[in-house]
Amino acid sequence: MKIKDLFNVNNQIDEIESLREELRKKDKEIEILKTQVMQNQIRPHFIFNSLLAIKQLCIEDPKVAAEAVQNFAGYLRTNLEAMTEMECVPFETELECIKQYVALERADMSQRFSVIYDIRYMDFELPLLSVQPSVENAIRHGVANMGSDGEIIIATAKEGENVIVTVSDNGSGFSSMTPQQENHRSLGIKNVKERLKLMRGGDMAIAHTGRGTIVRFTIPLGNEVDK
């Protein structure tokens, strides 16, 4: 073998090792982010409040209570799966998780807000629990105290080579949040943005308007990042 050829082979070996190291770092980052997902999503107070609401429904409307229990089981299953899920999931899976969460919030009969699903494109994948936290924020810090006037719109559309997902509400925004709530929200946003970038090459942006908040997710089509 010529010296030149040997030099090229050594360079290729170095490049392969460098790629392997990058993949190991990415895997470690994803493991950390998965743990953060669990910390952000499964909250004892929400579980406690959901169980209390279901208990009351058992007395008032057993049929609705049964549906609430099913949604509660689905919510827990989805969040627990996020702990071990390394692959992106179809948007349909994320949408089902969102609907389960909304149904649980509505188990509290004082929650009268409306949710509109304007789904125009579904053939794409994303990290599990990417959009759901924004729906949670829209409910808890946007429309929770607005009664029937509160409205959340969840929309998807294809724009060129990207899928755009938006979660918008007509609430008061996050001005009424406590410092602890704001810190928790910031960590959650950072977590979602990093997972979108690592696993899908996507991005997330938030805009506060005079009539609520809009969260916009940009997800490239056919650009699932190798893990």
Side-chain angles (χ1 to χ4, degrees):
M1 180 179 292
K2 296 180 180 179
I3 295 177
K4 182 179 179 180
D5 293 336
L6 182 61
F7 182 76
N8 289 335
V9 169
N10 288 336
N11 280 342
Q12 290 174 357
I13 292 174
D14 289 341
E15 289 177 2
I16 291 172
E17 287 301 318
S18 178
L19 288 172
R20 285 177 176 172
E21 180 62 26
E22 288 182 12
L23 287 173
R24 283 192 289 268
K25 289 181 180 179
K26 184 181 292 186
D27 286 341
K28 185 176 180 180
E29 289 175 350
I30 291 175
E31 287 295 332
I32 293 172
L33 289 171
K34 286 194 301 177
T35 301
Q36 292 174 346
V37 170
M38 292 304 297
Q39 293 173 342
N40 286 332
Q41 292 304 313
I42 295 192
R43 303 186 179 119
H45 73 268
F46 175 69
I47 293 175
F48 180 73
N49 291 340
S50 295
L51 289 173
L52 285 180
I54 291 171
K55 177 184 176 182
Q56 188 62 30
L57 284 173
C58 288
I59 300 172
E60 298 175 354
D61 193 331
K63 183 178 179 180
V64 175
E67 294 175 357
V69 169
Q70 183 175 351
N71 287 320
F72 187 62
Y75 170 83
L76 290 178
R77 181 178 65 251
T78 301
N79 280 269
L80 290 171
E81 285 175 354
M83 190 174 185
T84 57
E85 183 60 66
M86 289 291 290
E87 305 291 335
C88 288
V89 300
F91 176 71
E92 184 177 1
T93 300
E94 179 79 0
L95 185 61
E96 182 60 28
C97 177
I98 291 170
K99 290 180 177 179
Q100 289 167 347
Y101 178 80
V102 169
L104 277 175
E105 287 286 7
R106 282 179 168 162
D108 179 353
M109 300 307 290
S110 66
Q111 299 281 29
R112 300 295 183 183
F113 59 87
S114 61
V115 178
I116 298 172
Y117 296 95
D118 183 14
I119 309 301
R120 303 185 184 186
Y121 192 83
M122 288 187 62
D123 189 18
F124 66 99
E125 296 185 348
L126 73 175
L128 188 62
L129 299 179
S130 295
V131 181
Q132 186 269 340
S134 291
V135 177
E136 179 176 346
N137 283 332
I139 293 174
R140 291 181 173 271
H141 308 300
V143 304
N145 298 317
M146 295 180 63
S148 58
D149 292 330
E151 181 179 271
I152 297 171
I153 302 174
I154 301 163
T156 66
K158 182 180 177 182
E159 292 187 6
E161 297 301 316
N162 297 317
V163 177
I164 305 300
V165 182
T166 58
V167 178
S168 57
D169 67 76
N170 64 343
S172 58
F174 303 102
S175 58
S176 60
M177 294 174 64
T178 66
Q180 183 179 7
Q181 289 173 328
E182 178 59 36
N183 181 61
H184 185 85
R185 169 180 167 267
S186 296
L187 288 174
I189 291 171
K190 180 181 178 181
N191 172 274
V192 170
K193 292 186 73 169
E194 289 181 350
R195 285 191 298 130
L196 277 172
K197 182 178 180 180
L198 276 170
M199 299 174 68
R200 205 63 185 82
D203 196 14
M204 169 189 181
I206 301 174
H208 303 289
T209 70
R211 293 180 294 178
T213 301
I214 300 175
V215 183
R216 177 185 171 97
F217 302 85
T218 303
I219 302 172
L221 284 168
N223 189 34
E224 185 170 1
V225 178
D226 294 331
K227 295 173 283 297

Short mmCIF file of all heavy atoms in Angstrom, two decimals, residues 76-114:
data_model
loop_
_atom_site.label_atom_id
_atom_site.label_comp_id
_atom_site.label_asym_id
_atom_site.label_seq_id
_atom_site.Cartn_x
_atom_site.Cartn_y
_atom_site.Cartn_z
N LEU A 76 -51.14 8.75 31.55
CA LEU A 76 -50.02 8.17 32.28
C LEU A 76 -49.17 7.27 31.38
O LEU A 76 -47.94 7.31 31.43
CB LEU A 76 -50.53 7.36 33.48
CG LEU A 76 -51.14 8.16 34.63
CD1 LEU A 76 -51.63 7.20 35.71
CD2 LEU A 76 -50.11 9.12 35.21
N ARG A 77 -49.83 6.47 30.55
CA ARG A 77 -49.10 5.57 29.67
C ARG A 77 -48.21 6.36 28.71
O ARG A 77 -47.04 6.02 28.51
CB ARG A 77 -50.07 4.69 28.88
CG ARG A 77 -49.36 3.70 27.95
CD ARG A 77 -50.35 2.81 27.21
NE ARG A 77 -51.20 3.57 26.31
CZ ARG A 77 -52.49 3.79 26.52
NH1 ARG A 77 -53.09 3.31 27.58
NH2 ARG A 77 -53.19 4.50 25.65
N THR A 78 -48.75 7.42 28.13
CA THR A 78 -47.99 8.22 27.17
C THR A 78 -46.78 8.86 27.83
O THR A 78 -45.67 8.87 27.29
CB THR A 78 -48.87 9.31 26.55
OG1 THR A 78 -49.97 8.69 25.89
CG2 THR A 78 -48.08 10.13 25.54
N ASN A 79 -46.98 9.41 29.03
CA ASN A 79 -45.88 10.06 29.72
C ASN A 79 -44.81 9.07 30.16
O ASN A 79 -43.61 9.37 30.11
CB ASN A 79 -46.41 10.82 30.93
CG ASN A 79 -47.00 12.16 30.55
OD1 ASN A 79 -46.32 13.17 30.54
ND2 ASN A 79 -48.28 12.17 30.20
N LEU A 80 -45.22 7.89 30.56
CA LEU A 80 -44.25 6.86 30.94
C LEU A 80 -43.48 6.36 29.72
O LEU A 80 -42.29 6.06 29.80
CB LEU A 80 -44.94 5.70 31.65
CG LEU A 80 -45.49 6.04 33.05
CD1 LEU A 80 -46.36 4.89 33.58
CD2 LEU A 80 -44.35 6.33 34.02
N GLU A 81 -44.15 6.27 28.59
CA GLU A 81 -43.48 5.84 27.37
C GLU A 81 -42.42 6.84 26.95
O GLU A 81 -41.40 6.48 26.35
CB GLU A 81 -44.50 5.65 26.24
CG GLU A 81 -45.33 4.38 26.37
CD GLU A 81 -46.40 4.29 25.30
OE1 GLU A 81 -46.57 5.27 24.54
OE2 GLU A 81 -47.08 3.25 25.24
N ALA A 82 -42.64 8.12 27.27
CA ALA A 82 -41.67 9.16 26.91
C ALA A 82 -40.33 8.93 27.59
O ALA A 82 -39.29 9.39 27.14
CB ALA A 82 -42.21 10.54 27.28
N MET A 83 -40.35 8.19 28.69
CA MET A 83 -39.13 7.92 29.45
C MET A 83 -38.18 7.00 28.69
O MET A 83 -36.96 7.07 28.85
CB MET A 83 -39.49 7.30 30.80
CG MET A 83 -38.35 7.20 31.78
SD MET A 83 -38.93 6.62 33.38
CE MET A 83 -37.41 6.76 34.32
N THR A 84 -38.73 6.14 27.85
CA THR A 84 -37.91 5.16 27.13
C THR A 84 -37.95 5.34 25.62
O THR A 84 -37.25 4.64 24.90
CB THR A 84 -38.38 3.73 27.46
OG1 THR A 84 -39.77 3.59 27.13
CG2 THR A 84 -38.20 3.43 28.95
N GLU A 85 -38.75 6.28 25.14
CA GLU A 85 -38.93 6.46 23.69
C GLU A 85 -37.74 7.18 23.07
O GLU A 85 -37.42 8.30 23.42
CB GLU A 85 -40.21 7.26 23.42
CG GLU A 85 -40.53 7.43 21.95
CD GLU A 85 -40.74 6.11 21.25
OE1 GLU A 85 -41.70 5.43 21.57
OE2 GLU A 85 -39.90 5.78 20.39
N MET A 86 -37.03 6.50 22.17
CA MET A 86 -35.88 7.09 21.49
C MET A 86 -36.23 7.54 20.08
O MET A 86 -35.48 8.28 19.46
CB MET A 86 -34.74 6.06 21.42
CG MET A 86 -34.08 5.78 22.75
SD MET A 86 -33.12 7.20 23.34
CE MET A 86 -31.76 7.18 22.17
N GLU A 87 -37.33 7.07 19.55
CA GLU A 87 -37.71 7.39 18.19
C GLU A 87 -38.75 8.51 18.17
O GLU A 87 -39.49 8.71 19.15
CB GLU A 87 -38.28 6.16 17.50
CG GLU A 87 -37.36 4.94 17.51
CD GLU A 87 -36.14 5.14 16.63
OE1 GLU A 87 -36.24 5.95 15.68
OE2 GLU A 87 -35.11 4.51 16.89
N CYS A 88 -38.83 9.21 17.06
CA CYS A 88 -39.93 10.14 16.87
C CYS A 88 -41.21 9.34 16.66
O CYS A 88 -41.17 8.17 16.27
CB CYS A 88 -39.66 11.03 15.66
SG CYS A 88 -38.36 12.26 15.93
N VAL A 89 -42.35 9.96 16.91
CA VAL A 89 -43.64 9.28 16.78
C VAL A 89 -44.49 10.02 15.76
O VAL A 89 -44.29 11.21 15.49
CB VAL A 89 -44.38 9.22 18.14
CG1 VAL A 89 -43.55 8.46 19.16
CG2 VAL A 89 -44.71 10.63 18.64
N PRO A 90 -45.47 9.34 15.16
CA PRO A 90 -46.38 10.03 14.24
C PRO A 90 -47.13 11.13 14.97
O PRO A 90 -47.45 11.00 16.16
CB PRO A 90 -47.33 8.90 13.79
CG PRO A 90 -46.59 7.64 14.03
CD PRO A 90 -45.75 7.89 15.25
N PHE A 91 -47.45 12.21 14.26
CA PHE A 91 -48.18 13.30 14.87
C PHE A 91 -49.52 12.82 15.43
O PHE A 91 -50.02 13.35 16.43
CB PHE A 91 -48.42 14.43 13.88
CG PHE A 91 -49.25 15.54 14.44
CD1 PHE A 91 -48.73 16.40 15.39
CD2 PHE A 91 -50.56 15.73 14.02
CE1 PHE A 91 -49.50 17.41 15.94
CE2 PHE A 91 -51.33 16.75 14.56
CZ PHE A 91 -50.80 17.60 15.51
N GLU A 92 -50.10 11.81 14.80
CA GLU A 92 -51.37 11.25 15.28
C GLU A 92 -51.26 10.81 16.73
O GLU A 92 -52.19 10.96 17.52
CB GLU A 92 -51.78 10.07 14.40
CG GLU A 92 -53.13 9.48 14.74
CD GLU A 92 -53.52 8.37 13.80
OE1 GLU A 92 -52.73 8.05 12.88
OE2 GLU A 92 -54.62 7.81 13.97
N THR A 93 -50.09 10.24 17.12
CA THR A 93 -49.87 9.82 18.51
C THR A 93 -49.82 11.01 19.44
O THR A 93 -50.41 11.01 20.52
CB THR A 93 -48.55 9.02 18.61
OG1 THR A 93 -48.63 7.88 17.76
CG2 THR A 93 -48.30 8.57 20.04
N GLU A 94 -49.11 12.05 19.02
CA GLU A 94 -49.03 13.27 19.82
C GLU A 94 -50.42 13.92 19.96
O GLU A 94 -50.79 14.40 21.04
CB GLU A 94 -48.07 14.27 19.16
CG GLU A 94 -47.93 15.59 19.88
CD GLU A 94 -47.01 15.52 21.09
OE1 GLU A 94 -46.48 14.43 21.37
OE2 GLU A 94 -46.82 16.55 21.75
N LEU A 95 -51.20 13.90 18.90
CA LEU A 95 -52.53 14.48 18.93
C LEU A 95 -53.43 13.74 19.90
O LEU A 95 -54.22 14.36 20.63
CB LEU A 95 -53.14 14.47 17.52
CG LEU A 95 -54.48 15.16 17.35
CD1 LEU A 95 -54.39 16.64 17.70
CD2 LEU A 95 -54.99 14.99 15.90
N GLU A 96 -53.31 12.43 19.94
CA GLU A 96 -54.11 11.64 20.88
C GLU A 96 -53.73 11.98 22.31
O GLU A 96 -54.60 12.09 23.20
CB GLU A 96 -53.89 10.14 20.62
CG GLU A 96 -54.72 9.23 21.51
CD GLU A 96 -56.22 9.44 21.37
OE1 GLU A 96 -56.67 9.85 20.28
OE2 GLU A 96 -56.94 9.19 22.37
N CYS A 97 -52.44 12.18 22.55
CA CYS A 97 -51.98 12.59 23.87
C CYS A 97 -52.56 13.94 24.26
O CYS A 97 -52.99 14.14 25.40
CB CYS A 97 -50.45 12.64 23.89
SG CYS A 97 -49.74 13.22 25.44
N ILE A 98 -52.60 14.86 23.32
CA ILE A 98 -53.18 16.18 23.57
C ILE A 98 -54.66 16.06 23.94
O ILE A 98 -55.13 16.69 24.90
CB ILE A 98 -53.01 17.08 22.33
CG1 ILE A 98 -51.53 17.43 22.12
CG2 ILE A 98 -53.85 18.36 22.46
CD1 ILE A 98 -51.24 18.10 20.80
N LYS A 99 -55.38 15.25 23.19
CA LYS A 99 -56.82 15.11 23.45
C LYS A 99 -57.08 14.47 24.81
O LYS A 99 -58.03 14.84 25.51
CB LYS A 99 -57.46 14.28 22.33
CG LYS A 99 -57.51 15.03 20.99
CD LYS A 99 -58.15 14.19 19.90
CE LYS A 99 -58.26 14.97 18.60
NZ LYS A 99 -58.87 14.17 17.50
N GLN A 100 -56.23 13.53 25.20
CA GLN A 100 -56.37 12.92 26.52
C GLN A 100 -56.13 13.95 27.62
O GLN A 100 -56.86 13.99 28.62
CB GLN A 100 -55.38 11.75 26.67
CG GLN A 100 -55.73 10.54 25.84
CD GLN A 100 -54.59 9.54 25.76
OE1 GLN A 100 -53.46 9.84 26.11
NE2 GLN A 100 -54.90 8.34 25.28
N TYR A 101 -55.13 14.79 27.42
CA TYR A 101 -54.83 15.81 28.41
C TYR A 101 -55.98 16.82 28.52
O TYR A 101 -56.40 17.18 29.62
CB TYR A 101 -53.54 16.54 28.06
CG TYR A 101 -53.22 17.64 29.04
CD1 TYR A 101 -52.65 17.34 30.27
CD2 TYR A 101 -53.57 18.97 28.76
CE1 TYR A 101 -52.41 18.34 31.19
CE2 TYR A 101 -53.32 19.97 29.68
CZ TYR A 101 -52.74 19.65 30.90
OH TYR A 101 -52.52 20.64 31.82
N VAL A 102 -56.49 17.26 27.38
CA VAL A 102 -57.60 18.22 27.38
C VAL A 102 -58.81 17.62 28.09
O VAL A 102 -59.48 18.29 28.89
CB VAL A 102 -57.96 18.64 25.93
CG1 VAL A 102 -59.28 19.41 25.91
CG2 VAL A 102 -56.84 19.47 25.32
N ALA A 103 -59.09 16.35 27.81
CA ALA A 103 -60.23 15.69 28.44
C ALA A 103 -60.06 15.62 29.95
O ALA A 103 -61.02 15.79 30.71
CB ALA A 103 -60.40 14.29 27.87
N LEU A 104 -58.83 15.41 30.41
CA LEU A 104 -58.58 15.36 31.85
C LEU A 104 -58.80 16.73 32.48
O LEU A 104 -59.38 16.84 33.57
CB LEU A 104 -57.15 14.89 32.12
CG LEU A 104 -56.94 13.38 32.11
CD1 LEU A 104 -55.46 13.06 32.26
CD2 LEU A 104 -57.73 12.71 33.21
N GLU A 105 -58.34 17.77 31.82
CA GLU A 105 -58.57 19.12 32.35
C GLU A 105 -60.06 19.42 32.43
O GLU A 105 -60.52 20.08 33.36
CB GLU A 105 -57.87 20.17 31.46
CG GLU A 105 -56.36 20.20 31.59
CD GLU A 105 -55.89 20.83 32.89
OE1 GLU A 105 -56.72 21.13 33.77
OE2 GLU A 105 -54.67 21.02 33.02
N ARG A 106 -60.81 18.90 31.49
CA ARG A 106 -62.24 19.15 31.47
C ARG A 106 -63.01 18.26 32.46
O ARG A 106 -64.21 18.44 32.64
CB ARG A 106 -62.79 18.94 30.06
CG ARG A 106 -62.48 20.12 29.14
CD ARG A 106 -63.01 19.85 27.76
NE ARG A 106 -63.00 21.05 26.94
CZ ARG A 106 -63.07 21.04 25.63
NH1 ARG A 106 -63.18 19.89 24.99
NH2 ARG A 106 -63.06 22.16 24.94
N ALA A 107 -62.30 17.30 33.06
CA ALA A 107 -62.94 16.50 34.10
C ALA A 107 -63.35 17.40 35.26
O ALA A 107 -64.31 17.11 35.99
CB ALA A 107 -62.00 15.40 34.59
N ASP A 108 -62.63 18.50 35.42
CA ASP A 108 -63.03 19.55 36.35
C ASP A 108 -64.14 20.34 35.67
O ASP A 108 -63.90 21.06 34.71
CB ASP A 108 -61.83 20.45 36.66
CG ASP A 108 -62.18 21.58 37.62
OD1 ASP A 108 -63.39 21.76 37.94
OD2 ASP A 108 -61.27 22.30 38.04
N MET A 109 -65.34 20.23 36.17
CA MET A 109 -66.50 20.79 35.48
C MET A 109 -66.46 22.31 35.37
O MET A 109 -67.25 22.91 34.65
CB MET A 109 -67.79 20.36 36.20
CG MET A 109 -67.98 18.84 36.25
SD MET A 109 -67.87 18.04 34.62
CE MET A 109 -69.38 18.62 33.87
N SER A 110 -65.53 22.96 36.10
CA SER A 110 -65.43 24.42 36.00
C SER A 110 -64.69 24.84 34.73
O SER A 110 -64.70 26.02 34.37
CB SER A 110 -64.70 24.98 37.23
OG SER A 110 -63.35 24.55 37.26
N GLN A 111 -64.05 23.89 34.07
CA GLN A 111 -63.29 24.20 32.86
C GLN A 111 -64.23 24.17 31.65
O GLN A 111 -64.66 23.11 31.21
CB GLN A 111 -62.15 23.19 32.67
CG GLN A 111 -61.14 23.19 33.81
CD GLN A 111 -60.15 24.34 33.71
OE1 GLN A 111 -60.45 25.41 33.19
NE2 GLN A 111 -58.96 24.14 34.23
N ARG A 112 -64.54 25.34 31.10
CA ARG A 112 -65.50 25.45 30.00
C ARG A 112 -64.89 25.97 28.70
O ARG A 112 -65.62 26.34 27.79
CB ARG A 112 -66.66 26.36 30.43
CG ARG A 112 -67.43 25.88 31.65
CD ARG A 112 -68.15 24.59 31.36
NE ARG A 112 -68.96 24.16 32.50
CZ ARG A 112 -69.65 23.03 32.54
NH1 ARG A 112 -69.61 22.22 31.49
NH2 ARG A 112 -70.36 22.70 33.60
N PHE A 113 -63.59 26.06 28.63
CA PHE A 113 -62.93 26.59 27.44
C PHE A 113 -63.17 25.65 26.25
O PHE A 113 -63.48 24.47 26.41
CB PHE A 113 -61.43 26.74 27.68
CG PHE A 113 -60.75 25.44 28.05
CD1 PHE A 113 -60.28 24.57 27.08
CD2 PHE A 113 -60.57 25.10 29.38
CE1 PHE A 113 -59.67 23.38 27.41
CE2 PHE A 113 -59.95 23.91 29.73
CZ PHE A 113 -59.50 23.05 28.74
N SER A 114 -63.00 26.18 25.04
CA SER A 114 -63.17 25.37 23.85
C SER A 114 -61.82 25.12 23.19
O SER A 114 -60.90 25.93 23.30
CB SER A 114 -64.10 26.07 22.85
OG SER A 114 -63.55 27.31 22.44
#
